[in-house]
Structures are given as C-alpha cells and as structure tokens.
C-alpha cells in the first residue's frame, strides 16, 4: 500500500532545483522599483500635486478632490508603464491577513467606448462588499458598509503575482460611521497621539523638535517545509501547525542548526523572496537559521512604524507566494511543531525626532542624558501602568502555545534594563531627595553613553528571557507572535507611551509653576516615576519558577491564556487610556474584544475539528490495518502449530494498539461533546473560556495516544509525513 505520505516523499525526492540567486544584481538596482516613491512622484506628478501628497504624508493634511484626481492620474501612468492593469485598495482587517479586491482600470463610457480610468474617487475611497469581515457587531450585516480609505503616508506599490501586476493602494478599513475595523486606523491614531505628547516633552530640552515618530524593526521567525509533504497533512494545510506527530530522535538538542549553514532549497527561496521584497521597498538586511531545525529568521532595517507594519504584512504575503514557486511552504505559525521552539517576531521599538535624535539612545552631555532618561523612564512607567494591555495586544490562540514554554518570554510582562542602567535608576532614586542639590547633578554627568555598549556586551545573552528588554538604543518587545500584525502591539505601545508622557508633562509643569527650576522639576518627577514603576523591572531569568512566584508577590499579572488576557482591553483603565488619546471609543474597544474572542474560538474550533478528523480518518484506519496484519500473522502462526512463544510479541503489540485506539476514540467523542456545549453558549466570553479550558484539554490526550501509535505502527502504513521528514529539508 502506498500512502499519500509515500507518494509525497517520492515527489519531493524528484523535485528539481529552482535557481533564484542574485546573479550579480545589486540590491540598490532593484530596491523600491515597484514603489511609488518620492522620485516616481516627482516624475509623474505636477509640482502642486507632488507638494500636496508630500504634505499629507508628512503632516496628515487633507488632499482635495481635484488634487486627488491629479495624483490618481500620475499613479496610473506610472503603473501602466510597468504593465499594471488592475488596482486594489490594500488593507489589514482583523482577520490577521491582508485583504485586496481587485478592480480593473478598464471601464465603458456612456457612449459605449472602452477606456482605462483611475480617478481621485477610486483612489481615496472604496466600498468593498465587506460584510463578511469581522466587525464585532459594529457594522450590522444589513448595513454592510465598510469603507477603505487611502492612507497617503504609506506609498502605493505594485504587487506581482505570476504574470499579473496590480497597483496596491494602502488603506485603512472603517465602518460607515468612522469606527475602525482594522489594525491600521488605530495605529495611525496612536502615532499622532505619541507625536504630540513626545514633541511637548522634547521641548523641555530642544525647541527645534517639531515631530517625533516611533520606529520599528521587526525580526520575523518562520519555518520552511516541503509543500508536497505539507499538503499530505490536513493539520498543516488547515491550521498551519501539526496537531499530532512524534518528536524526531534528533530535535534541537545538539543546537547545531542556529547560525548553521542554510539548506540549499531554503537558501534559493530566501534569495527569491528577498528580491521580491526589495522591489517592494522592504529593506531586508539579515537572514539566518534559527534554533529549531527547519526554522529561520529575517529582519529589515528599521523604519517609521506605519511603514514597518505595512512592510511586515506585505513580507508575510510575499513569502507565502514565493514559497509556492519553490514547492515549499512557509509556516508562520507560532508553534508549528511540538517539542522544538516556536516562532516569534521581536518588535524593536524606539522614538526618533525630526532633528535626527534617537530619544532612547543615551546622550553624551548632561542635557541629552536627561532627555534620554526622561524617555527611558517614561517607557518603563508606561509598561508598568499598562502591562496588561501589552499582554492583551499579543494574545492569540497561536501565541498561547509559545508564551511561557521556556523558549519564549513568559506571559508575565516585565522590563529588563541591564545592570548599569539599574544602577543609574537606583542612584537617582536614593540621591534625589526633597531638595535637588548640586551633588545630584553628578548623576547627569555620568557617562551613560560610553558605559552602555560594555554592559550590553555582557548582558545580551542573559536577557533573552525578558519579554521587554532595553537593548542599548531601543526596547525590544519579544513576546509578539510570528503571525501577529505588528499594528496591534505597536498601537498599544505608542498609546501608553503617549499617556505616560502627557502625565509626565503635567507633573513637571505643576512643579515648575510652584517655582522649581526646570531641571529640578524633571529630576523629581523622574524619581517619582522610577519608584512607582520599580515593580515591573526584572533582571533575572524570566523562565524560572522563582520568577513566577516573585512576580505574584509583586502583584504582576500572569495571564496564561488568550481569553483571560483579552479582558484587559475592556477594563475601565483601558477604556480611559484609549479614549483619552483618541485611539478607540468604548464601543470600538468592546467590538474589538468581541472580535478577538471570536477569532480565538474559531481557531480552536477548527483545530478541534481537524484533530477529530485526522484521528478518525487517518490515524485509526492506519492503526487498524496494522492490527489486521498482526492478527492475521498470529492466526497463521497458530495454524502452523507454532507455540505461543512465536506470536507473543505480536499479541502484546495488538493489545497496546487496541488500548491507544480505544483512548483516541473516547477522547474524540468527549471532545465533540465539549464542543457542542461550548457552541451552545451564546456569551462569547464564556464560549472562549469553554474552548480554552474544556475543548482544548482533549488535544494533548489525543495527541499522546496518536504519537504512541506512530512509534509502533508499520512505517509504510503511517499516513502523515513525520517530523523528521518535515524538519530536515535539504
Ligand atoms: P539583534 O536584536 O538580533 O541583536 P539588532 O539589534 O541589530 O539585532 O537589530 C534588530 C532589529 O532592530 C533590526 O530590525 C534593526 O533595524 C532594529 N533597530 C535598530 N535600531 C532601531 C531603532 N532605533 N528603532 C527601531 N528598531 C531598531
Ligand atoms: Mg533582537
């Protein structure tokens, strides 16, 4: 008998090699060639239109209809010269993927003649028939009104798929009444809130600053497997992760994969998707193997957060598409394989001024030191005050498998700052007393700038366990999941930072009004914030049980599952901070909460169905047919008159297999019942809880018995590609 697995293995072996190397091309020669960049704008737009677009991108000024017509015409001319026939509003709904609905430039005029047209209306706003995107009840289906609206701050680009080329207009996705239905609209609002709050605080130090932008550099981890093999596994096809599968004899225990040489097929694939990314202006810089076999990472040069979020979404899409050309499948899932590490997406975040200063880079003079300390301490204070929101921002069914599994940060949010900065903060706390003395200025004269590289050298290896670590000139939020839209954690981070900076300014101004000198006032409020936020700082091993206990004593939250973690979005404090900064109304927050819970339910529900299906239609038949082979064998040996000793082992095996079959059968039935109970619960919060605490508990049971069967059932009969076949791609 040849199982699908065997056919897939044969097909994989005969797979020819696809050549996709750079062939001497320089990255600069292709970079952003498919992007409507400033240079393309100059070439295709009138002076007036160019200025209007630039202004809008920079300061959010409105573009009028006439100007939009001109810009659309310029974009169309640029795109058509590159063979584009269609356009789409490209957006990032809460489904977690990107969405597009293509329209042709082609249309028919009233007199029947065919023309190609793309006007300001089509550029500015579209109404995709979007009633089926998640909306948490905001947009009742009968209204079916969701709009995509052009975001001029992210440049248009041409997406190539096969031989087709489409002009993509980055947009936000909102309901008819302006409520946001995507990841981008709230992100843009948080960028504006942070800009305002940070500029105000910058003015204590430098009046020339007029704009502060958040910057983001993400590090994307992923697995690559053979496509034909992946297609032979319903769990990989439908859920993006394996629901059963025994660990291979060799996993990651030898630690020989990390930074090892990249397998040929994957190397070709990387070069291919890098080139496609460069054309789209995604500034990829780094590639390497990750810890688990079959796992890799890429990272770009950091960019302004809005663009960086778009680029990460785009990259995930490009990777999926390009992989097909190589008969590979990219697994972006947070935990595709049990027993080896999962994947994350570190979000490196900082703040940059339009005067060219990184506000989280230590300064060289007392004045710039004070500015650095101000933003540094405010970031810590923000995380302290709203740790639960950061946790909620990264909560997903997928990420639950990873957080706290001793390979990724725990679900407890804490901040790592390193030994030297801990000393600096302690020093400020103890030294600055009621009156700020001459002596206290010593702190500002500390050579923070020079000290930091040294302390980072001895610390970077040890702080890998921290969910939120200061890494010299930026914070690195490491608990983000690999499939996540970075818009979610970035919106929260920007918002809570804006809130903290606003409070900071209020507190400093109050002291100044009382007659304190500015520096003194700043130091006093900093000291106050350092003291108040001390609990969130942790320098030790985040994986240890001791930390979980210590964190509990400190009163830090430890939400292990998504349904619990998401509740943070609808607390009074969350509503206040989002509302005060103009990010979400209460209704939007409630809707988002509901959408995310529903997404959780759907994910677990699909997994439960697929697991039940695989168990019943793949695993059990394989086990039973092997049982038949054994039973026949026993009967034949008996017929031949051979004694029991000759078939004792077979009988034993038969019993073992029967035991596992029975357990799988019982657990699948119980899981189906649990699912029914959950589905009959209308309250989405309760339903998510039931899926989490009841339905999901059967997953491990079923998997355990299935994996035991994998070890004993004849290899030829086993239907699903095994871990060793999936993970060791050459
Ligand atoms: P690693 O964390 O692996 O040591 P790096 O620290 O060099 O690697 O960079 C990781 C990511 O952080 C890269 O995407 C890089 O561009 C980004 N990064 C560096 N500086 C900043 C910054 N000021 N703001 C945001 N991201 C940054
Ligand atoms: Mg890093």
């Amino acid at each position: 008998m040849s199982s699908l697995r065997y056919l897939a293995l044969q097909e994989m072996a005969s797979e020819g090699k696809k050549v996709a190397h750079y062939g001497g091309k320089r990255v600069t020669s292709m970079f952003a060639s498919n992007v409507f960049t400033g240079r393309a704008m100059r070439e295709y737009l009138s002076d007036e239109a160019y200025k209007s677009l630039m202004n809008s991108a920079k300061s959010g000024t409105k573009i009028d209809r006439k100007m939009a017509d001109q810009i659309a015409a310029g974009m169309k001319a640029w795109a058509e010269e590159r063979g584009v026939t269609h356009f789409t509003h490209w957006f990032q709904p809460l489904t977690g993927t990107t969405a597009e609905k293509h329209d042709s430039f082609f249309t028919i005029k009233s007199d029947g003649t065919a023309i190609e047209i793309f006007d300001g209306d089509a550029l500015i706003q579209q109404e995709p028939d979007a009633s089926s995107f998640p909306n948490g009840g905001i947009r009742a289906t009968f209204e079916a009104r969701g709009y995509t609206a052009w975001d001029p701050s992210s440049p248009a680009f041409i997406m190539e798929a096969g031989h087709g080329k489409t002009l993509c207009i980055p947009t936000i996705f909102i309901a008819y009444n302006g409520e946001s239905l995507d990841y981008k609209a709230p992100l843009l609002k948080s960028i504006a809130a942070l800009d305002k709050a940070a500029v105000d605080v910058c003015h204590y130090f430098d009046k020339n600053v007029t704009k502060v932008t958040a910057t983001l550099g993400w590090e994307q981890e992923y697995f690559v497997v053979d496509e034909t093999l992946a297609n032979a596994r319903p769990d990989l096809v439908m859920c993006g992760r394996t629901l059963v599968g025994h660990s291979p004899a060799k996993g990651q225990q030898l630690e020989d994969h990390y930074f090892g040489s990249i397998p040929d097929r994957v190397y070709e694939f990387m070069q291919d998707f890098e080139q496609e990314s460069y054309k789209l202006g995604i500034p990829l810089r780094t590639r390497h193997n990750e810890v688990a076999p079959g796992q890799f990472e890429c990272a770009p040069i950091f960019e302004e957060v809005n663009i960086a979020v778009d680029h990460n979404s785009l990259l995930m899409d490009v990777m999926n598409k390009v992989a097909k050309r190589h008969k590979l499948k990219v697994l972006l899932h947070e935990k595709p394989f049990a027993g080896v590490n999962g994947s994350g997406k570190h979000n490196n975040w900082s703040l940059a001024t339009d005067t060219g200063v990184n506000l989280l880079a230590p300064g060289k003079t007392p004045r710039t030191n004070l500015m650095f300390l101000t933003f540094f301490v405010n970031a810590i204070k923000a995380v302290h005050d709203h740790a639960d929101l950061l946790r909620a921002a990264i909560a997903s069914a997928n990420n639950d498998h990873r957080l706290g599994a001793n390979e990724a940060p725990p679900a407890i949010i804490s901040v790592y700052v390193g030994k030297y900065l801990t000393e600096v903060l302690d020093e400020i706390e103890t030294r600055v007393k009621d009156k700020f003395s001459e002596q206290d200025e010593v702190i500002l004269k500390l050579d923070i700038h020079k000290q930091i590289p040294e302390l980072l050298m001895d610390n970077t290896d040890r702080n890998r366990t921290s969910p939120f670590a200061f890494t010299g000139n930026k914070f690195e939020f490491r608990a983000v999941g690999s499939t996540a839209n970075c818009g979610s954690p970035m919106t929260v981070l920007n918002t809570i930072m804006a809130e903290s900076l606003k409070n900071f300014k209020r507190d400093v101004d109050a002291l100044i009004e009382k007659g304190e000198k500015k520096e003194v006032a700043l130091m006093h409020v900093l000291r106050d914030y350092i003291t108040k936020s001390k609990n969130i700082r942790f320098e030790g091993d985040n994986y240890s049980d001791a930390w979980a206990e210590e964190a509990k004593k400190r009163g830090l939250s430890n939400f292990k599952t998504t349904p619990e973690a998401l509740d943070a979005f609808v607390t009074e404090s969350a509503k206040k901070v989002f509302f005060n900064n103009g990010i979400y109304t209460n209704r939007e927050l409630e809707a988002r909460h509901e959408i995310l819970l529903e997404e959780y339910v759907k994910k677990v529900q699909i997994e439960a169905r697929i697991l039940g299906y695989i168990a019943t239609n793949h695993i059990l038949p394989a086990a039973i047919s092997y049982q038949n082979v054994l039973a026949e064998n026993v009967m034949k040996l008996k017929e031949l008159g051979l004694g029991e000793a000759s078939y004792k082992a077979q009988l034993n095996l038969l019993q073992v297999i029967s035991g596992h079959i029975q357990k799988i059968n019982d657990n699948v039935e119980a899981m189906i019942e649990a699912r029914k109970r959950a589905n009959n619960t209308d309250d989405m919060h309760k339903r998510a809880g039931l899926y989490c605490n009841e339905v999901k508990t059967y997953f491990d049971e079923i998997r355990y018995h299935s994996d035991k069967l994998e070890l004993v059932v004849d290899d030829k009969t086993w239907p699903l590609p095994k871990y060793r076949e999936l993970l060791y791609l050459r």
Side-chain angles (χ1 to χ4, degrees):
M1 180 189 128
S2 51
S3 66
L4 187 51
R5 165 168 160 251
Y6 259 69
L7 295 176
L9 283 169
Q10 270 164 19
E11 192 176 327
M12 178 180 76
S14 64
E15 183 52 40
K17 199 169 143 194
K18 163 130 181 111
V19 180
H21 51 67
Y22 284 85
K25 268 179 287 175
R26 293 171 68 168
V27 171
T28 45
S29 72
M30 56 188 119
F31 191 70
S33 57
N34 276 348
V35 184
F36 197 55
T37 55
R39 192 195 278 179
M41 288 176 202
R42 268 238 160 282
E43 202 178 315
Y44 287 85
L45 300 181
S46 68
D47 265 356
E48 206 185 5
Y50 173 78
K51 270 193 204 125
S52 149
L53 183 49
M54 280 311 209
N55 266 337
S56 173
K58 220 179 129 214
S59 40
T61 46
K62 218 169 155 349
I63 293 174
D64 67 35
R65 255 309 306 275
K66 203 176 112 235
M67 216 39 79
D69 276 338
Q70 282 195 30
I71 295 169
M75 266 186 201
K76 174 169 162 282
W78 170 77
E80 282 186 324
E81 266 175 40
R82 283 154 184 80
V84 172
T85 50
H86 287 62
F87 71 94
T88 179
H89 275 197
W90 181 81
F91 59 108
Q92 301 172 50
L94 295 170
T95 47
T97 48
T98 56
E100 33 191 280
K101 172 185 163 238
H102 298 194
D103 280 306
S104 172
F105 289 142
F106 157 84
T107 190
I108 310 257
K109 285 205 295 191
S110 54
D111 65 359
T113 45
I115 54 159
E116 256 125 12
I117 185 166
F118 180 56
D119 62 11
D121 274 347
L123 171 64
I124 290 178
Q125 187 174 309
Q126 291 269 294
E127 188 184 340
D129 174 22
S131 49
S132 45
F133 285 107
N135 58 62
I138 277 187
R139 194 167 41 79
T141 310
F142 61 87
E143 285 160 334
R145 281 255 192 67
Y147 294 100
T148 51
W150 179 33
D151 165 20
S153 62
S154 183
F157 57 90
I158 296 168
M159 180 64 108
E160 298 178 47
H163 295 290
K165 290 185 178 186
T166 307
L167 173 65
C168 297
I169 317 289
T171 54
I172 57 169
F173 182 44
I174 47 178
Y176 66 98
N177 58 1
E179 286 171 342
S180 49
L181 297 170
D182 69 349
Y183 285 110
K184 279 303 292 288
L187 176 69
L188 293 176
K189 291 174 185 169
S190 77
I191 290 170
L194 178 58
D195 176 22
K196 166 96 183 48
V199 167
D200 284 350
V201 170
C202 278
H203 285 175
Y204 286 131
F205 312 96
D206 184 354
K207 294 273 183 224
N208 294 319
V209 174
T210 64
K211 191 174 170 66
V212 171
T213 41
T215 50
L216 166 65
W218 37 262
E219 301 165 55
Q220 178 74 53
E221 291 180 341
Y222 59 96
F223 280 83
V224 179
V225 296
D226 179 82
E227 189 188 34
T228 318
L229 287 186
N231 284 342
R233 293 201 54 136
D235 48 0
L236 280 181
V237 173
M238 307 299 282
C239 313
R241 76 170 178 114
T242 58
L243 298 169
V244 295
H246 199 279
S247 312
K250 175 178 184 286
Q252 64 190 46
Q253 64 272 59
L254 297 180
E255 295 177 349
D256 52 355
H257 187 63
Y258 193 55
F259 285 155
S261 75
I262 298 168
D264 277 359
R265 273 182 81 189
V266 179
Y267 189 39
E268 292 285 333
F269 162 61
M270 285 175 171
Q271 297 185 63
D272 202 357
F273 85 70
E274 283 167 3
Q275 292 180 59
E276 293 302 331
S277 302
Y278 289 139
K279 288 196 235 164
L280 292 163
I282 305 170
L284 288 180
R285 184 90 199 278
T286 310
R287 60 161 105 102
H288 60 79
N289 289 358
E290 259 304 325
V291 175
Q295 192 187 26
F296 308 90
E297 178 183 301
C298 66
I301 299 166
F302 70 92
E303 300 174 277
E304 195 265 296
V305 63
N306 178 31
I307 311 282
V309 167
D310 281 2
H311 279 167
N312 181 247
S313 292
L314 204 47
L315 173 91
M316 292 194 282
D317 193 27
V318 166
M319 286 172 88
N320 282 327
K321 282 183 180 142
V322 173
K324 284 197 199 315
R325 300 212 276 257
H326 298 258
K327 293 239 174 151
L328 293 172
K329 187 171 170 74
V330 174
L331 303 176
L332 290 164
H333 195 289
E334 280 75 355
K335 192 74 183 174
F337 300 99
V340 297
N341 276 10
S343 303
K345 176 149 54 196
H346 295 180
N347 277 205
N348 295 271
W349 172 87
S350 191
L351 302 173
T353 68
D354 57 349
T355 53
V357 174
N358 175 353
L359 292 169
L360 289 174
K364 291 181 187 166
T365 62
R367 193 177 54 90
T368 50
N369 259 347
L370 188 52
M371 179 154 89
F372 158 71
L373 279 173
T374 295
F375 285 91
F376 178 65
V377 169
N378 270 287
I380 299 170
K381 178 76 163 43
V383 177
H384 170 268
D385 293 355
H386 302 285
D388 290 358
L389 283 182
L390 280 177
R391 172 67 186 90
I394 51 156
S396 69
N398 297 358
N399 216 11
D400 280 0
H401 296 289
R402 188 177 151 261
L403 296 181
N406 282 2
E407 61 180 68
I412 309 162
I413 300 288
S414 68
V415 182
Y416 173 93
V417 301
K419 189 160 145 264
Y420 183 71
L421 283 165
T422 301
E423 277 167 18
V424 171
L425 297 183
D426 288 349
E427 179 107 13
I428 295 175
E429 215 189 337
T430 51
R431 193 94 71 87
V432 184
K433 289 283 186 278
D434 295 341
K435 273 262 159 271
F436 185 79
S437 69
E438 284 290 304
Q439 222 199 0
D440 294 329
E441 294 210 17
V442 175
I443 295 166
L444 300 182
K445 298 203 175 97
L446 289 176
D447 208 346
I448 299 180
H449 171 74
K450 275 220 198 93
Q451 298 280 345
I452 286 209
E454 268 172 51
L455 82 264
L456 278 176
M457 294 238 268
D458 68 61
N459 281 325
T460 30
D461 270 342
R462 267 188 285 136
N463 72 10
R464 288 199 167 269
T465 65
S466 173
F468 200 86
F470 184 69
T471 51
N473 55 5
K474 61 191 185 288
F475 279 100
E476 187 167 337
F477 190 17
R478 296 189 174 130
V480 185
S482 48
T483 54
N485 184 306
C486 301
S488 169
M490 288 298 106
T491 299
V492 168
L493 201 45
N494 292 342
T495 305
I496 62 180
M497 184 66 171
E499 176 75 7
S500 185
L501 289 169
K502 271 183 2 193
N503 293 339
F504 181 78
K505 183 165 163 47
R506 179 200 63 206
D507 296 345
V508 171
D509 285 352
L511 286 183
I512 292 175
E513 248 165 59
K514 276 196 202 149
E516 281 290 11
K517 251 177 66 187
K518 186 174 79 184
E519 277 73 16
V520 179
L522 285 165
M523 283 308 271
H524 275 287
V525 179
L526 281 178
R527 186 192 56 170
D528 185 37
Y529 281 24
I530 290 168
T531 309
K532 284 185 174 145
S533 62
K534 214 171 164 178
N535 260 347
I536 201 79
R537 274 163 35 209
F538 180 61
E539 301 291 304
D541 179 3
N542 284 256
Y543 295 172
S544 68
D545 294 336
W547 168 232
E549 264 170 49
E550 160 80 13
K552 199 168 169 191
K553 275 197 210 123
R554 293 192 192 182
L556 302 182
S557 323
N558 185 2
F559 299 121
K560 294 208 170 97
T561 67
T562 295
E564 293 174 87
L566 287 177
D567 284 349
F569 275 139
V570 285
T571 60
E572 284 314 306
S573 128
K575 286 178 178 170
K576 214 171 110 205
V577 68
F578 282 122
F579 187 78
N580 285 350
N581 290 285
I583 317 297
Y584 298 117
T585 61
N586 290 355
R587 215 168 92 100
E588 283 175 299
L589 266 184
E590 306 256 342
R592 205 154 279 247
H593 183 231
E594 176 106 0
I595 290 167
L596 294 171
L597 284 173
E598 194 177 341
E599 187 191 65
Y600 177 85
V601 164
K602 284 182 181 157
K603 277 241 164 88
V604 181
Q605 187 179 48
I606 291 170
E607 290 192 345
R609 284 181 184 152
I610 298 292
L611 181 57
Y613 166 77
I614 288 182
T616 318
N617 303 45
H618 287 65
I619 313 285
L620 292 188
I624 290 167
S625 85
Y626 186 50
Q627 248 185 341
N628 284 337
V629 172
L630 291 171
E632 257 173 55
N633 179 252
V634 171
M635 269 162 19
K636 278 188 187 145
L637 293 173
K638 252 188 185 167
E639 261 171 43
L640 289 174
L642 294 173
E644 205 187 323
S646 69
Y647 51 80
K648 202 167 147 237
Q650 287 90 320
L651 276 181
N652 264 344
L653 202 48
L654 269 170
Q655 248 162 19
V656 169
I657 293 176
S658 296
H660 292 308
I661 289 178
Q662 194 58 47
K663 286 279 189 197
I664 289 178
N665 185 68
D666 294 351
N667 278 298
V668 168
E669 276 176 8
M671 179 174 73
I672 292 171
E673 287 310 311
R675 222 161 65 212
K676 282 188 196 154
R677 282 195 299 278
N679 292 344
N680 285 334
T681 310
D682 282 336
D683 181 278
M684 195 51 80
H685 193 262
K686 284 204 187 113
R687 192 187 296 178
L690 288 175
Y691 266 99
C692 179
N693 302 316
E694 294 198 9
V695 177
K696 236 172 62 138
T697 52
Y698 293 101
F699 287 20
D700 287 345
E701 280 291 311
I702 296 168
R703 174 175 203 136
Y704 173 83
H705 294 286
S706 165
D707 291 356
K708 287 287 177 207
L709 283 175
E710 185 185 323
L711 288 183
V712 294
V713 168
D714 180 11
D715 184 67
K716 275 207 302 299
T717 329
W718 196 254
L720 301 169
K722 297 183 173 180
Y723 269 28
R724 64 161 191 274
E725 293 151 356
L726 290 162
L727 285 170
Y728 291 91
L729 198 65
R730 284 293 146 211

